[in-house]
Amino acid sequence: MKKTILTGFQPTGAIHIGNYLAVMAGIRQQQEQYDCYFFIADWHSLTVDYKVEEKRAMIKDLIAILLASGLDPEKCVFFRQSDILEHAELAWYFNCVTPISFLERMTQYKDKAAKNVKNINAGLMLYPVLMAADILMYDSDLIPVGVDQVQHIELARDTAKFFNNRFGETFKAPEPLLTDMPKIMSLTEPTKKMSKSDNPKSAILVADEPEVIMEKIKKATADEVGISNLLGLGKKFIKNFDAADYKDNNLKLKTELAQGLADYFAEIREKRKEWLTKDAEIEKILAKGAEKARSIAQKKMDDVRRKVGLK
Ligand code: TRP
């Protein structure tokens, strides 16, 4: 029996190379090896401030990048979270077995609440419960995520336990699947994680054209930490990389790194543009994915409704 892999992607803005390497880079291989579920976590993305008129374009861009990165809808189940209403229903049953104290101690919740004092909505706190519903719905074994999500997967394991103890064996406990990629740091403040929201010049986007990459890398901080960060990127993106070649030659390092990045993402960059023109085809892909996901979710929910005593 193949193991089941599942992961969600939040449409919250342009995808940078750190986002890409954390999870997306693994998709192509995973879908050869496992039963895969990949989805757009659009409900999760509503828990922080956003502009309504920008959301659709963000979703479309994320889908285009996933397809351009080799996600193959014939080999995996690819869908939008909001197309499968059962996720929200399951999250409700989970809300009713999750102690609030478990949610209050989630570090991502605390961080986001501290940064968003004006909008600490209930969804922000319940976010990991919805994530547990996404995961447990499909009996997932492995969840590819960045390290920031590991605590949420532990919560999903707890949720499975709470539910099973109360209502009988129903859900399987998942495990995180972490890549061995080092953290990708900001170009402008190399002690911080790369983040497009802090400073647009600090992050290389997957969609950046070669000139833009060159410009950003040229302006990257070149103090000791900065150079060590660029060397780390070089190891990944420069062919036949040897750190000795760049000793006392920052310009050579920056030029070759920018070139390496431009080459590495060339195919994704071009395919993304093609997918952005194929709205009808994308709708068809999502409709088919939703149909597959829904048939599994409906079966699971029949069982859950019976177990909790509603049916
Ligand atoms: N919270 C995840 C993130 O921000 C996205 C997500 C939602 C997810 N549901 C999921 C990831 C289920 C893995 C499994 O990256």
Side-chain angles (χ1 to χ4, degrees), residues 9 16 70 87 90 114 223 233 241-242 249 252 269 290-291 297:
F9 301 90
H16 64 66
H87 287 223
L90 184 55
D223 60 8
L233 290 171
F241 176 80
D242 179 353
N249 198 342
K252 180 171 153 84
R269 195 162 56 238
E291 205 179 305

Side-chain angles (χ1 to χ4, degrees), residues 6-10 39 41 44 127 131 134-135 143-145 149:
L6 170 140
T7 198
F9 301 90
Q10 280 199 69
F39 66 96
H44 278 101
Y127 165 131
M131 188 163 157
D134 300 335
I135 293 171
I143 316 298
V145 280
Q149 296 295 322

Side-chain angles (χ1 to χ4, degrees), residues 266-291:
E267 190 191 342
I268 298 180
R269 195 162 56 238
E270 294 315 311
K271 288 202 169 147
R272 167 184 170 271
K273 283 185 218 160
E274 283 169 34
W275 278 110
L276 284 175
T277 66
K278 295 186 186 167
D279 287 353
E281 200 173 325
I282 286 179
E283 283 312 314
K284 250 188 251 160
I285 288 172
L286 292 174
K288 213 172 132 200
E291 205 179 305

Side-chain angles (χ1 to χ4, degrees), residues 66-92:
L66 286 166
L67 292 167
S69 304
L71 185 153
D72 180 347
E74 299 295 324
K75 293 183 180 161
C76 64
V77 181
F78 178 48
F79 63 99
R80 268 172 82 144
Q81 184 184 42
S82 62
D83 281 340
I84 314 297
L85 302 179
E86 286 78 3
H87 287 223
E89 183 186 355
L90 184 55
W92 182 258

